[in-house]
Amino acid sequence: MQNRVLVIFAHPAYEQSIANRAMVSAIRDLEGVTFNDLYEKYPDFFIDVEEEQRLLKEHQIIIFQHPFYWYSSPSLLKEWQDVVLDYSFAYGEGGYQLSGKCLMNAVTIGGSESSYGSTGFNHYPVDELLKPFEQTAIFCGMRYIKPFVLYDALALSDSELADEAHRYAQLLRSLRDDDSLMQEGGY
Amino acid sequence: MEMQGVLYQTFIFLLAAVIGVTLAKRMGLGSVLGYLGAGIIIGPFALGLVGNDVSDVMHFAEFGVVMMLFLIGLELEPKKLWKLRVPILGLGGLQVLLTTLLITAIAVSVLDLHWKMSLAIGMMLALSSTAIVLQTLSEKGLLRTHAGKSSFAVLLFQDVIVIPMIAVMPLLSTLQVDATTSVGHVKELGLQQTFLILGSVLGIILVGRYLVSPIFNWIARTGLREIFIATSLLLVITITLVMQKVGLSPALGAFLAGVVLAESQYRHELEVGLDTFKSLLLGLFFITVGASINLELLADSVWLIVGLLILLLIVKIAVLGVLARQFKMPLLENLIFTFSLAQGGEFAFVLSTYAAQNGVLDQNTISILTVVVTLSMLLTPLLIIFAERVLQPMLKKDIERRDFDEIDDGETPVIVAGYGRFGQVVSRLLRSQGFNTTLLEYDVMQIELVKKFGTKAFYGDVTNVDILKAAGAETAKLMIIAVDSQDKCLKVTKLCKEHFPQLKVLARAKGRREAHEIKKAGADYVIRETLGSALLLGQEALSALGYRHYQAHRAAKTFLHYDNKHLEELSDIWGDDKQYILEAAEKAELLETVLRADQEANQVEQRQPWMADWTSEEGAEESQSKKEE
């Protein structure tokens, strides 16, 4: 049995993003992967909560794929968290329906890896900046998986991009096929 | 007349109107025919329920025509009137001139009458019936169309030209006249008279501009509605009396006053106050027209009268049709215009009185003409129905073969069918993003209008496959159907799906029913035309009621979301009326529940996971309270 993977993709300017296009086309048609394009589905930020919760329930591995905006996600993904991870669904009485599932961020970053260090001008490593996501996952009883990060998104050559996209697809495949991540019992 | 008599007559008139109009409406014939028919039946020549004093009632009822013109004036600001100057002077002037000349020529050559008599007859018959035409057209919603506006323009010109016509009547005298009967009714249009007319017109404008508003201000402050209405009536009656005094048409004067007051703040109050009076008086007028048809005379010389009637209709239709064509009116509009104005009118009665007084025509001729004119008025609503239901569908096929514009836009990805208010917004948005659009429009006036703004729309009927092909339907990606008519929209959708399957169809629907039908016909996307704006307005209303804008926005969005969803779900049972209404009501209730729930959820202080120790404390409390229950 395979895990089902849900890629929740948030990019307000997808048409201009070379890196994300390469990554998306590498994983979009993978077996067992569902691609959920938030800015395409909810241009007016009016999120269909029922529909999103249904998707979450049907999948085991949840990926937030997004560019790194102000050390976090684009705003629609934040709105998504605010309304979808609701009381009595993600937590609270009758909640915790996500417990046992896995969450991972897949981020594309314009800056270099070295800029995200204690000596770089971004001061903090990406893992640490993503702590709010990690804590959200933990709060909901989910397992947080170390993020996939693509640095220098604007400067990579075509072949380097292809390599990164391939690495991303490989990661998703291995998550999909990893029996140890399988939900035990579940709801 | 004593009280009882008046009440009895009122009873007869009202009863006849109620029965006649209800029946006529049931048969889809319009109110005018109902009134006319009722008039014939209660008239002195049939049941005889109303006597020979019908003509007195008629004079009184003509005041309804005056009021109608006043109300029409109220809707026409000076700016709009100025825009109509070409059709009024050109179309109206030529119509009166040509029809008069043609009828005169026929009377001289065929009927062998003296040219002076012929000219008088020509003038009488050239004029149409303002009352019947405007009432019928407005009832059919045709007044705002090209044909309706042109008809109005012609009728307005006739209202003006009738004054000089009256003035020249004495010059056409051929018979010996008894000096005592010819009286000084008609004064020569001398210098003094001209000044008097100009003065009173100027007076109306000045009084309307500067005096009426303060007066109404003062009256309105009394807060008594009936006094306000009385003042409105008084205003129109005053105008009528002044106009009659100086020898101008009261209808024209009232119209002028209406135009002057079109920009006043009391415009709508006036409209509402006078509308009922106008309608009842007009109805009464139509009844008296019906009642005055001399059935005995008709029976005596039926062939002569029918012959003259047909001749009259043919001449008027010919002149009107040719003129409308010269003025580039589209054929379908032309038909309505031509058949609407093909009758003789109430001015013929007025002119005939003067003709008799001045010894232009003998009583026998006048009687026959009156019957012919009345019958032609009776036929008008039928002629319009004939044009609309028989001729238009027949000619539609021919029209499609007429020369539409050559479309030279090259390859464009988007075709916009219908370039009215709706199509314009869609097209402008697309163009702002750099997409070229080919615009198709069927209304020549609209094409001329947008041309002034530098936009080129092509003239063409979008229900014609060849036009769609010429517009590039074979290579385009999208067809946007923004036409107003739902029949057309449905037709175009079907045509596109049949002939251009690659073309995506995005369509505008009036309401739910239409949306279902168009979707069923294969449209890829259908939007209900008023839904979006209604929701935006509702959202504003919520804000005005104290909602924060975000919350109002959410409510509107939730509403839209569920409404669309329900529409989709209901589309399967469309056609099964009973089931549909049942389920639709259920869904509407569901929607309200959802909206209320969303609202309540937002009012409860939100329990947020990062609140200190939330999970342990509140969770424990909740489980405890559960146990206690």
Side-chain angles (χ1 to χ4, degrees):
Chain A
M1 252 261 298
Q2 289 177 333
N3 295 311
R4 289 177 52 87
V5 181
L6 175 64
V7 177
I8 295 173
F9 177 64
H11 201 317
Y14 178 46
E15 58 277 23
Q16 285 157 21
S17 161
I18 302 161
N20 273 287
R21 251 185 295 163
M23 286 167 67
V24 167
S25 54
I27 55 109
R28 187 167 200 152
D29 298 322
L30 281 182
E31 204 199 325
V33 172
T34 307
F35 183 70
N36 188 23
D37 190 345
L38 292 189
Y39 274 92
E40 184 69 11
K41 266 165 88 180
Y42 308 117
D44 54 2
F45 277 53
F46 191 76
I47 291 168
D48 185 344
V49 176
E50 277 172 40
E51 155 82 359
E52 294 303 309
Q53 292 181 343
R54 185 182 61 77
L55 277 175
L56 286 174
K57 280 191 230 170
E58 284 171 3
H59 293 80
Q60 167 64 7
I61 317 277
I62 316 297
I63 314 282
F64 287 167
Q65 182 185 337
H66 58 90
F68 214 37
Y69 278 13
W70 285 115
Y71 310 106
S72 181
S73 68
S75 51
L76 181 53
L77 185 54
K78 180 66 170 72
E79 172 75 5
W80 183 95
Q81 294 168 57
D82 292 353
V83 298
V84 178
L85 303 181
D86 201 9
Y87 180 81
S88 84
F89 173 72
Y91 65 96
E93 198 191 351
Y96 298 108
Q97 300 186 30
L98 301 174
S99 81
K101 297 183 191 288
C102 303
L103 180 69
M104 184 187 93
N105 287 81
V107 291
T108 53
I109 293 177
S112 65
E113 187 165 4
S114 59
S115 73
Y116 285 89
S118 48
T119 53
F121 63 89
N122 288 311
H123 293 299
Y124 301 100
V126 172
D127 298 15
E128 212 154 311
L129 293 168
L130 286 173
K131 282 291 182 217
F133 288 96
E134 188 173 342
Q135 174 53 26
T136 302
I138 290 166
F139 188 92
C140 298
M142 299 168 83
R143 219 165 117 179
Y144 189 71
I145 299 172
K146 202 172 124 54
F148 171 93
V149 185
L150 185 153
Y151 293 99
D152 301 313
L154 304 172
L156 293 183
S157 71
D158 284 355
S159 68
E160 285 169 320
L161 256 183
D163 288 347
E164 286 293 291
H166 182 69
R167 179 167 75 91
Y168 181 50
Q170 274 308 109
L171 175 61
L172 258 55
R173 264 197 218 103
S174 68
L175 288 172
R176 180 191 67 190
D177 298 333
D178 188 344
D179 290 341
S180 72
L181 298 177
M182 195 79 73
Q183 203 167 340
E184 289 154 26
Y187 275 75
Chain B
M1 211 185 299
E2 76 276 30
M3 182 69 174
Q4 209 181 351
V6 173
L7 277 185
Y8 174 71
Q9 234 188 7
T10 311
F11 171 76
I12 294 292
F13 276 117
L14 286 178
L15 185 67
V18 169
I19 296 176
V21 173
T22 317
L23 282 179
K25 273 277 179 192
R26 264 286 156 82
M27 292 187 277
L29 294 176
S31 68
V32 177
L33 267 182
Y35 285 122
L36 290 171
I40 295 177
I41 289 171
I42 63 169
F45 299 99
L47 295 183
L49 292 174
V50 289
N52 288 318
D53 51 353
V54 144
S55 64
D56 293 339
V57 181
M58 189 182 214
H59 281 307
F60 171 64
E62 269 168 17
F63 186 57
V65 183
V66 176
M67 273 204 193
M68 176 170 70
L69 265 294
F70 178 73
L71 290 174
I72 288 173
L74 275 182
E75 303 236 338
L76 263 179
E77 292 142 43
K79 253 182 284 163
K80 286 194 206 155
L81 187 63
W82 180 244
K83 271 195 207 148
L84 282 173
R85 64 193 186 280
V86 174
I88 291 175
L89 294 176
L91 202 53
L94 284 171
Q95 185 271 334
V96 172
L97 184 70
L98 293 179
T99 315
T100 307
L101 289 180
L102 207 55
I103 293 176
T104 308
I106 290 172
V108 168
S109 57
V110 182
L111 303 177
D112 209 17
L113 295 174
H114 190 281
W115 72 267
K116 285 183 172 176
M117 284 175 80
S118 306
L119 184 57
I121 295 173
M123 291 193 305
M124 277 169 63
L125 297 183
L127 306 178
S128 315
S129 168
T130 308
I132 289 189
V133 177
L134 292 187
Q135 178 68 19
T136 309
L137 288 182
S138 90
E139 215 167 277
K140 288 182 169 297
L142 293 172
L143 216 47
R144 283 172 202 279
T145 63
H146 191 174
K149 284 179 190 155
S150 303
S151 305
F152 174 73
V154 170
L155 291 167
L156 196 61
F157 180 81
Q158 294 180 351
D159 280 348
V160 181
I161 203 68
V162 73
I163 321 296
M165 280 185 176
I166 291 172
V168 299
M169 268 306 167
L171 306 178
L172 298 175
S173 164
T174 50
L175 308 170
Q176 283 295 323
V177 200
D178 189 346
T180 48
T181 56
S182 86
V183 266
H185 264 299
V186 182
K187 302 160 203 151
E188 297 264 336
L189 203 64
L191 203 59
Q192 197 190 351
Q193 181 79 356
T194 316
F195 273 127
L196 214 52
I197 290 175
L198 285 179
S200 50
V201 168
L202 202 66
I204 287 182
I205 294 176
L206 290 178
V207 168
R209 258 272 138 85
Y210 301 107
L211 218 60
V212 170
S213 269
I215 291 175
F216 275 114
N217 250 331
W218 192 60
I219 300 290
R221 238 177 285 152
T222 63
L224 291 171
R225 202 178 135 66
E226 69 275 15
I227 291 300
F228 189 90
I229 294 176
T231 317
S232 313
L233 274 174
L234 199 59
L235 176 74
V236 182
I237 293 176
T238 312
I239 295 163
T240 308
L241 290 176
V242 170
M243 287 290 117
Q244 276 172 346
K245 195 88 191 159
V246 301
L248 261 181
S249 144
L252 186 68
F255 173 74
L256 196 61
V259 172
V260 174
L261 290 174
E263 280 164 334
S264 132
Q265 71 229 34
Y266 291 108
R267 174 183 148 185
H268 296 293
E269 288 289 326
L270 284 168
E271 274 175 4
V272 174
L274 293 179
D275 196 60
T276 320
F277 290 103
K278 175 213 79 173
S279 304
L280 278 177
L281 280 174
L282 262 190
L284 186 60
F285 173 72
F286 295 136
I287 292 180
T288 57
V289 170
S292 63
I293 294 183
N294 190 332
L295 294 177
E296 278 165 27
L297 188 62
L298 177 60
D300 286 346
S301 36
V302 62
W303 294 116
L304 175 66
I305 288 175
V306 170
L308 286 176
L309 177 62
I310 291 173
L311 195 60
L312 171 67
L313 293 178
I314 289 176
V315 169
K316 295 201 93 168
I317 286 175
V319 171
L320 288 162
V322 169
L323 276 179
R325 214 193 146 90
Q326 289 302 311
F327 277 78
K328 300 209 173 80
M329 201 183 291
L331 188 53
L332 294 183
E333 300 260 349
N334 185 341
L335 278 176
I336 296 289
F337 169 77
T338 301
F339 279 79
S340 298
L341 294 173
Q343 76 293 96
E346 51 275 14
F347 284 136
F349 307 147
V350 177
L351 283 174
S352 69
T353 328
Y354 286 99
Q357 281 165 359
N358 291 288
V360 184
L361 297 170
D362 57 274
Q363 199 52 51
N364 187 41
T365 314
I366 287 176
S367 300
I368 288 183
L369 284 176
T370 307
V371 175
V372 170
V373 168
T374 318
L375 285 178
S376 74
M377 287 162 84
L378 180 68
L379 277 180
T380 302
L382 291 171
L383 280 176
I384 296 178
I385 292 173
F386 174 70
E388 205 182 24
R389 301 206 190 141
V390 181
L391 288 181
Q392 276 199 347
M394 248 165 62
L395 284 170
K396 239 180 190 153
K397 286 171 204 131
D398 289 344
I399 277 178
E400 282 169 6
R401 263 173 247 116
R402 248 190 48 197
D403 46 335
F404 285 117
D405 287 352
E406 283 288 316
I407 296 167
D408 52 9
D409 259 12
E411 273 188 29
T412 50
V414 184
I415 301 168
V416 178
Y419 197 62
R421 287 168 305 165
F422 197 98
Q424 274 175 36
V425 176
V426 179
S427 167
R428 282 173 54 199
L429 175 65
L430 292 176
R431 287 189 176 201
S432 77
Q433 299 295 310
F435 292 101
N436 211 352
T437 52
T438 299
L439 312 171
L440 295 176
E441 174 57 55
Y442 197 50
D443 182 348
V444 181
M445 302 262 260
Q446 180 69 13
I447 292 174
E448 292 292 315
L449 180 72
V450 298
K451 201 190 217 166
K452 287 182 193 148
F453 293 94
T455 309
K456 186 166 183 195
F458 294 96
Y459 174 67
D461 181 0
V462 289
T463 55
N464 179 342
V465 184
D466 294 329
I467 292 293
L468 292 178
K469 255 185 207 155
E474 285 165 314
T475 50
K477 289 198 183 96
L478 299 182
M479 162 63 88
I480 289 163
I481 310 178
V483 291
D484 189 48
S485 150
Q486 295 295 288
D487 283 350
K488 272 194 182 179
C489 182
L490 208 58
K491 226 183 254 175
V492 179
T493 307
K494 283 179 186 154
L495 277 181
C496 287
K497 285 294 136 185
E498 190 181 330
H499 296 276
F500 320 106
Q502 97 295 343
L503 202 57
K504 263 201 169 171
V505 175
L506 286 71
R508 157 194 180 186
K510 274 231 147 55
R512 277 183 169 228
R513 175 178 287 274
E514 292 82 0
H516 275 300
E517 279 169 3
I518 296 164
K519 189 102 196 186
K520 221 170 169 185
D524 296 274
Y525 179 77
V526 181
I527 189 145
R528 287 169 278 160
E529 60 182 14
T530 48
L531 183 67
S533 34
L535 278 173
L536 280 181
L537 191 69
Q539 184 182 324
E540 279 306 313
L542 286 176
S543 300
L545 287 169
Y547 271 44
R548 282 179 58 76
H549 289 309
Y550 179 68
Q551 212 46 51
H553 176 75
R554 271 194 71 88
K557 278 289 170 196
T558 311
F559 187 100
L560 180 66
H561 175 74
Y562 282 95
D563 201 55
N564 274 332
K565 207 163 124 182
H566 294 163
L567 187 70
E568 196 98 326
E569 289 164 4
L570 287 171
S571 66
D572 294 337
I573 55 164
W574 186 250
D576 181 350
D577 276 358
K578 231 181 187 173
Q579 184 76 4
Y580 181 85
I581 290 169
L582 209 71
E583 291 209 17
E586 211 171 279
K587 303 261 184 212
E589 207 171 299
L590 187 72
L591 201 156
E592 274 177 34
T593 319
V594 169
L595 278 172
R596 218 170 297 127
D598 192 66
Q599 201 47 43
E600 278 159 11
N602 272 284
Q603 278 163 0
V604 174
E605 192 193 348
Q606 292 222 337
R607 282 164 286 211
Q608 299 298 7
W610 50 87
M611 283 179 182
D613 296 332
W614 175 84
T615 28
S616 52
E617 268 179 32
E618 201 170 324
E621 269 171 35
E622 275 181 18
S623 56
Q624 208 171 356
S625 65
K626 272 246 162 71
K627 271 174 211 158
E628 280 166 15
E629 282 168 25

